[in-house]
Amino acid sequence: MARGTVRGHRVVGAGLVLLLASAGCGSPAGDSGDGGATAAPPVRDKGPVCVGEAPADGVRVLRGGGFRLPGGTGVQYAGASADGSSRTATLREGARYEEGQREWKVAVGARLPLAGHAYTVRQVCSCRVVLEAASARDASALAEAPASMTSTGGEADAGLCFTTNRDALKAAADGFPAEGESLSLVGNGGVRRFPTGLSLTVSYLDAEAGTAGIAANCAAVPVAAYEELRVGDPLELGGVLFEVTDVTEAVVRLTRPAAPRP
């Protein structure tokens, strides 16, 4: 959604607890995932934040974005709804939006047919949907190591961007600030690029309302489009969970939650 210039002068300070982020969109890539329905919902969302359990090798489709899948197909997380006790997602066929694409409203457990391939919805969260490939062949294709861990730009980065490979996910995670540290995205229209092909842009800032938008692209595919983000909201980028901890006239600050202590 297009926005104008930054309005107002109110700075929104960090507020809601990190528990919201750590529970709100599941475990970071590579973990076993969180089960059941979590409690505290994100701002302006009835919740629950997540329903279902994310398998460690699940396909994470981010809110507003798409994911390329084996066989030349793809899937988008086009919309979400929650009523306080359950959560559903609208999924759309194809990694990028085109007119005439099929859509499905799904809940956890739904089976999704995509160009002769099948996936099961294992988790629905406010910021992501996690799918599991029905066939061992598709699961193996998703887990294949990319030809290189170095981004070359454009569609050539597909092996880095659309994968469940542990080494590729670790490389993406290592490109972000360490756990407990913050990432500041400047709202001047600039693009922040990361080593494994992900690029981030602040799509708008509204300091008066305390909201912001963040768009993510990878391998020439819009992989996420988070709108109406507020302090305390969870989001996922490159397989890593973040929490919005500040929205000002100039920047959006995201904090990577520290790993839970034993």
Side-chain angles (χ1 to χ4, degrees), residues 69 135 244 247:
L69 294 167
S135 76
V244 179
V247 177

Side-chain angles (χ1 to χ4, degrees), residues 108-196:
V108 169
R111 194 169 175 90
L112 194 69
L114 290 163
H117 302 255
Y119 296 83
T120 301
V121 178
R122 293 302 183 196
Q123 188 181 56
V124 179
C125 297
S126 60
C127 68
R128 75 175 187 210
V129 170
V130 183
L131 309 177
E132 186 174 45
S135 76
R137 177 178 294 183
D138 286 341
S140 178
L142 285 161
E144 284 183 5
S148 171
M149 290 293 178
T150 302
S151 168
T152 57
E155 295 187 2
D157 287 341
L160 285 168
C161 301
F162 309 113
T163 182
T164 62
N165 179 267
R166 296 294 184 88
D167 291 336
L169 292 173
K170 183 180 184 302
D174 288 347
F176 290 118
E179 291 175 349
E181 297 184 359
S182 296
L183 170 68
S184 293
L185 301 176
V186 180
N188 62 0
V191 178
R192 182 77 175 269
R193 302 184 189 281
F194 294 86
T196 54

